[in-house]
Amino acid sequence: MKLSELVKELPIKRITGDCEVYSLCTDSRVAGEGDLFFCYKGTQRDSHDDAVSAEKSGAAAVICEREVRVSCPQVIVPDGREAMARIAAAFYGHPERKLKIVGVTGTNGKTTVAHMLFRILTEAGEAAGLIGTLGARYGCKKIAPALTTPDPVFLFSILADMEKEGITHVVMEVSAHALYLKKDCPITYEVGIFTNFTQDHLDFFKDMKSYGEAKKQLFLPSRCRYAVLNADDVFSRRLAERGVPCIFYGLDNPADAFAVVKSENIRGSSVLINVEDELCKAEIRMTGRHNVSNALAAACAAKRLEIKPAAVARGLSYEEGVDGRLEWTASFRGADVFVDFAHTPDGLEKSLSSLKEHCGGKLVCLFGCGGNRDASKRPIMGATAARLCDFCVITSDNPRYEDPCKIIGEIEKGYRSVSSSYVAVEDRKKATEYALKILSEGDVLLVAGKGGETYQEIMGIKHAYNDKAVIKSCIGKLLS
């Protein structure tokens, strides 16, 4: 494809020539013949410094934000990241224009809502695809997870393959980082779903205002045709002011869509869902009121996509849970063990509150916090756990390049401000074994923070680790 064709929709400061482009490249180490190489100032490094290396490896042209010392054609643009997304969309034939794409954003609940809606669409007979934290799924294909929202070249290649495979509807998790970095900017969402807005990612955004501004980008009238908003979350009111037609769902405040919980237990709820007077009964096999709220969000989006209530009911009732999202994992000595991805104060509070409601014994929590991320939430999460559980095992999560003992100490400060009923065990596997040993009949253990992750990142190395596998291994050892 000609470079001049790829860039015709971009604001261009200067272009120095034309050429054929055979593939797109963001890493000079793997650049090859005919590649178009993208330069932009990243959070860790500036890839303008790699332009010469990319040309030596065969790159045919570069996209850059300032002039670089190469002899091949270069296109100088105001925003390299936006250019990358728009060129990727054009290179792959603009699949986003041929698909009905639903974007799900919010601090917590994105993965669960996306999976619920994906299942509803599948039950309705639609050819649906799914992109998110747990990877991509469509037809018979499954792609391993990388980022919540993939980088543009990968994202639009997946969307193009989905369209080629006959997919018509795509449900996609859209992170605040992706919105800020304009990874998805060529996409106009058929439906935008908002779950909630609570503290997270302040290591990147620095303050809640900046974090919120990133979330708002999905709900611009030019980006979203219809919004599904949470009446129980104050931030949704600001999103409604942006002028996109919308529907509100909620459990605690007046809303266009609501649910009556007929019965519930520690493994799920039987509910009657009302979406603008269209009713359906569903058995939600996931714990807690927040998952009823997630189901409402999915049901509202389904209605906008003209899915019948019967298919909504089948889809919500079929979904047996999402990997690592408040997932019942084992029974041990008459106690229930759950694994959850909760890694924010709000996420931990919701999960512990849901389990506490149905806990006949003591509620035990095991969790840590990730390194090189928002440190301000560590004492808050400690205090949250101390308030809601009877005993806590504070441990390591993904320490990355930080000292895990330092992270644990910061969690302890918050925990000790409320309670002294805890132990600190740095090794997560040993911590899990300890937590299981103290369980008895009627107790509930929540192992939080990592969810379905299959690794633990320490000093830049991802070691194989999965909470569910470790729990089952420890139980086997304790029973032998």
mmCIF file of all heavy atoms in Angstrom, residues 347-367:
data_model
loop_
_atom_site.group_PDB
_atom_site.id
_atom_site.type_symbol
_atom_site.label_atom_id
_atom_site.label_comp_id
_atom_site.label_asym_id
_atom_site.label_seq_id
_atom_site.Cartn_x
_atom_site.Cartn_y
_atom_site.Cartn_z
ATOM 1 N N GLY A 347 -12.578 -1.986 44.523
ATOM 2 C CA GLY A 347 -12.743 -3.387 44.127
ATOM 3 C C GLY A 347 -12.653 -4.322 45.313
ATOM 4 O O GLY A 347 -13.450 -5.253 45.465
ATOM 5 N N LEU A 348 -11.672 -4.065 46.199
ATOM 6 C CA LEU A 348 -11.512 -4.912 47.389
ATOM 7 C C LEU A 348 -12.703 -4.763 48.318
ATOM 8 O O LEU A 348 -13.203 -5.755 48.865
ATOM 9 C CB LEU A 348 -10.217 -4.538 48.109
ATOM 10 C CG LEU A 348 -9.791 -5.460 49.256
ATOM 11 C CD1 LEU A 348 -9.506 -6.868 48.742
ATOM 12 C CD2 LEU A 348 -8.566 -4.906 49.973
ATOM 13 N N GLU A 349 -13.188 -3.532 48.482
ATOM 14 C CA GLU A 349 -14.340 -3.301 49.357
ATOM 15 C C GLU A 349 -15.582 -4.035 48.851
ATOM 16 O O GLU A 349 -16.294 -4.679 49.621
ATOM 17 C CB GLU A 349 -14.635 -1.806 49.480
ATOM 18 C CG GLU A 349 -15.878 -1.511 50.289
ATOM 19 C CD GLU A 349 -15.884 -0.118 50.895
ATOM 20 O OE1 GLU A 349 -15.036 0.707 50.539
ATOM 21 O OE2 GLU A 349 -16.765 0.128 51.741
ATOM 22 N N LYS A 350 -15.838 -3.959 47.545
ATOM 23 C CA LYS A 350 -17.020 -4.615 46.986
ATOM 24 C C LYS A 350 -16.940 -6.124 47.141
ATOM 25 O O LYS A 350 -17.931 -6.780 47.491
ATOM 26 C CB LYS A 350 -17.175 -4.234 45.511
ATOM 27 C CG LYS A 350 -17.767 -2.849 45.309
ATOM 28 C CD LYS A 350 -17.849 -2.467 43.855
ATOM 29 C CE LYS A 350 -18.516 -1.101 43.699
ATOM 30 N NZ LYS A 350 -18.389 -0.567 42.332
ATOM 31 N N SER A 351 -15.787 -6.693 46.881
ATOM 32 C CA SER A 351 -15.650 -8.149 46.965
ATOM 33 C C SER A 351 -15.766 -8.635 48.405
ATOM 34 O O SER A 351 -16.469 -9.606 48.686
ATOM 35 C CB SER A 351 -14.312 -8.588 46.360
ATOM 36 O OG SER A 351 -14.304 -8.344 44.971
ATOM 37 N N LEU A 352 -15.086 -7.946 49.323
ATOM 38 C CA LEU A 352 -15.172 -8.352 50.733
ATOM 39 C C LEU A 352 -16.583 -8.155 51.282
ATOM 40 O O LEU A 352 -17.095 -9.007 52.023
ATOM 41 C CB LEU A 352 -14.166 -7.566 51.572
ATOM 42 C CG LEU A 352 -12.698 -7.994 51.441
ATOM 43 C CD1 LEU A 352 -11.784 -7.007 52.157
ATOM 44 C CD2 LEU A 352 -12.485 -9.409 51.986
ATOM 45 N N SER A 353 -17.233 -7.060 50.915
ATOM 46 C CA SER A 353 -18.603 -6.801 51.384
ATOM 47 C C SER A 353 -19.557 -7.877 50.881
ATOM 48 O O SER A 353 -20.438 -8.347 51.624
ATOM 49 C CB SER A 353 -19.075 -5.427 50.915
ATOM 50 O OG SER A 353 -18.297 -4.405 51.481
ATOM 51 N N SER A 354 -19.398 -8.276 49.622
ATOM 52 C CA SER A 354 -20.261 -9.311 49.052
ATOM 53 C C SER A 354 -20.096 -10.638 49.780
ATOM 54 O O SER A 354 -21.084 -11.327 50.077
ATOM 55 C CB SER A 354 -19.914 -9.503 47.563
ATOM 56 O OG SER A 354 -20.191 -8.334 46.845
ATOM 57 N N LEU A 355 -18.856 -10.988 50.088
ATOM 58 C CA LEU A 355 -18.597 -12.269 50.760
ATOM 59 C C LEU A 355 -19.015 -12.211 52.235
ATOM 60 O O LEU A 355 -19.531 -13.198 52.772
ATOM 61 C CB LEU A 355 -17.119 -12.631 50.642
ATOM 62 C CG LEU A 355 -16.633 -12.925 49.218
ATOM 63 C CD1 LEU A 355 -15.127 -13.125 49.196
ATOM 64 C CD2 LEU A 355 -17.347 -14.148 48.635
ATOM 65 N N LYS A 356 -18.816 -11.069 52.855
ATOM 66 C CA LYS A 356 -19.153 -10.922 54.278
ATOM 67 C C LYS A 356 -20.644 -11.160 54.523
ATOM 68 O O LYS A 356 -21.037 -11.727 55.547
ATOM 69 C CB LYS A 356 -18.757 -9.518 54.755
ATOM 70 C CG LYS A 356 -18.799 -9.322 56.262
ATOM 71 C CD LYS A 356 -18.290 -7.947 56.620
ATOM 72 C CE LYS A 356 -18.220 -7.762 58.135
ATOM 73 N NZ LYS A 356 -17.141 -8.547 58.754
ATOM 74 N N GLU A 357 -21.460 -10.740 53.555
ATOM 75 C CA GLU A 357 -22.909 -10.874 53.664
ATOM 76 C C GLU A 357 -23.342 -12.328 53.813
ATOM 77 O O GLU A 357 -24.379 -12.625 54.399
ATOM 78 C CB GLU A 357 -23.547 -10.279 52.402
ATOM 79 C CG GLU A 357 -24.879 -9.617 52.647
ATOM 80 C CD GLU A 357 -25.359 -8.862 51.424
ATOM 81 O OE1 GLU A 357 -24.593 -8.050 50.891
ATOM 82 O OE2 GLU A 357 -26.512 -9.110 51.016
ATOM 83 N N HIS A 358 -22.543 -13.241 53.268
ATOM 84 C CA HIS A 358 -22.921 -14.655 53.261
ATOM 85 C C HIS A 358 -21.930 -15.534 54.030
ATOM 86 O O HIS A 358 -21.926 -16.755 53.869
ATOM 87 C CB HIS A 358 -23.034 -15.150 51.820
ATOM 88 C CG HIS A 358 -23.982 -14.354 50.988
ATOM 89 N ND1 HIS A 358 -25.346 -14.424 51.130
ATOM 90 C CD2 HIS A 358 -23.754 -13.427 50.020
ATOM 91 C CE1 HIS A 358 -25.930 -13.601 50.279
ATOM 92 N NE2 HIS A 358 -24.983 -12.980 49.594
ATOM 93 N N CYS A 359 -21.105 -14.906 54.838
ATOM 94 C CA CYS A 359 -20.080 -15.653 55.572
ATOM 95 C C CYS A 359 -20.608 -16.045 56.948
ATOM 96 O O CYS A 359 -20.967 -15.192 57.756
ATOM 97 C CB CYS A 359 -18.825 -14.790 55.709
ATOM 98 S SG CYS A 359 -17.502 -15.588 56.619
ATOM 99 N N GLY A 360 -20.645 -17.362 57.213
ATOM 100 C CA GLY A 360 -21.154 -17.845 58.497
ATOM 101 C C GLY A 360 -20.089 -17.929 59.570
ATOM 102 O O GLY A 360 -20.397 -18.062 60.755
ATOM 103 N N GLY A 361 -18.816 -17.863 59.173
ATOM 104 C CA GLY A 361 -17.710 -17.925 60.127
ATOM 105 C C GLY A 361 -16.877 -16.664 60.046
ATOM 106 O O GLY A 361 -17.410 -15.564 60.006
ATOM 107 N N LYS A 362 -15.563 -16.842 59.970
ATOM 108 C CA LYS A 362 -14.705 -15.664 59.856
ATOM 109 C C LYS A 362 -14.337 -15.424 58.389
ATOM 110 O O LYS A 362 -14.192 -16.349 57.600
ATOM 111 C CB LYS A 362 -13.444 -15.809 60.718
ATOM 112 C CG LYS A 362 -12.517 -16.955 60.357
ATOM 113 C CD LYS A 362 -11.322 -17.002 61.319
ATOM 114 C CE LYS A 362 -10.376 -18.148 60.987
ATOM 115 N NZ LYS A 362 -10.967 -19.471 61.227
ATOM 116 N N LEU A 363 -14.236 -14.157 58.060
ATOM 117 C CA LEU A 363 -13.856 -13.750 56.708
ATOM 118 C C LEU A 363 -12.360 -13.435 56.712
ATOM 119 O O LEU A 363 -11.896 -12.566 57.452
ATOM 120 C CB LEU A 363 -14.646 -12.514 56.276
ATOM 121 C CG LEU A 363 -14.327 -11.931 54.894
ATOM 122 C CD1 LEU A 363 -14.551 -12.963 53.789
ATOM 123 C CD2 LEU A 363 -15.168 -10.683 54.636
ATOM 124 N N VAL A 364 -11.627 -14.169 55.904
ATOM 125 C CA VAL A 364 -10.167 -14.029 55.840
ATOM 126 C C VAL A 364 -9.791 -13.491 54.464
ATOM 127 O O VAL A 364 -10.340 -13.920 53.444
ATOM 128 C CB VAL A 364 -9.456 -15.382 56.070
ATOM 129 C CG1 VAL A 364 -7.939 -15.220 56.017
ATOM 130 C CG2 VAL A 364 -9.887 -15.981 57.412
ATOM 131 N N CYS A 365 -8.869 -12.547 54.428
ATOM 132 C CA CYS A 365 -8.429 -11.987 53.157
ATOM 133 C C CYS A 365 -6.917 -12.115 53.027
ATOM 134 O O CYS A 365 -6.172 -11.876 53.981
ATOM 135 C CB CYS A 365 -8.832 -10.508 53.073
ATOM 136 S SG CYS A 365 -8.337 -9.697 51.536
ATOM 137 N N LEU A 366 -6.470 -12.513 51.851
ATOM 138 C CA LEU A 366 -5.048 -12.524 51.512
ATOM 139 C C LEU A 366 -4.856 -11.588 50.325
ATOM 140 O O LEU A 366 -5.526 -11.730 49.300
ATOM 141 C CB LEU A 366 -4.600 -13.944 51.147
ATOM 142 C CG LEU A 366 -3.144 -14.165 50.750
ATOM 143 C CD1 LEU A 366 -2.714 -15.590 51.096
ATOM 144 C CD2 LEU A 366 -2.869 -13.892 49.272
ATOM 145 N N PHE A 367 -3.982 -10.610 50.451
ATOM 146 C CA PHE A 367 -3.748 -9.709 49.315
ATOM 147 C C PHE A 367 -2.431 -8.971 49.479
ATOM 148 O O PHE A 367 -1.819 -8.956 50.543
ATOM 149 C CB PHE A 367 -4.901 -8.699 49.177
ATOM 150 C CG PHE A 367 -4.788 -7.500 50.080
ATOM 151 C CD1 PHE A 367 -4.376 -6.264 49.581
ATOM 152 C CD2 PHE A 367 -5.096 -7.596 51.435
ATOM 153 C CE1 PHE A 367 -4.276 -5.149 50.408
ATOM 154 C CE2 PHE A 367 -4.999 -6.490 52.264
ATOM 155 C CZ PHE A 367 -4.583 -5.260 51.749
#
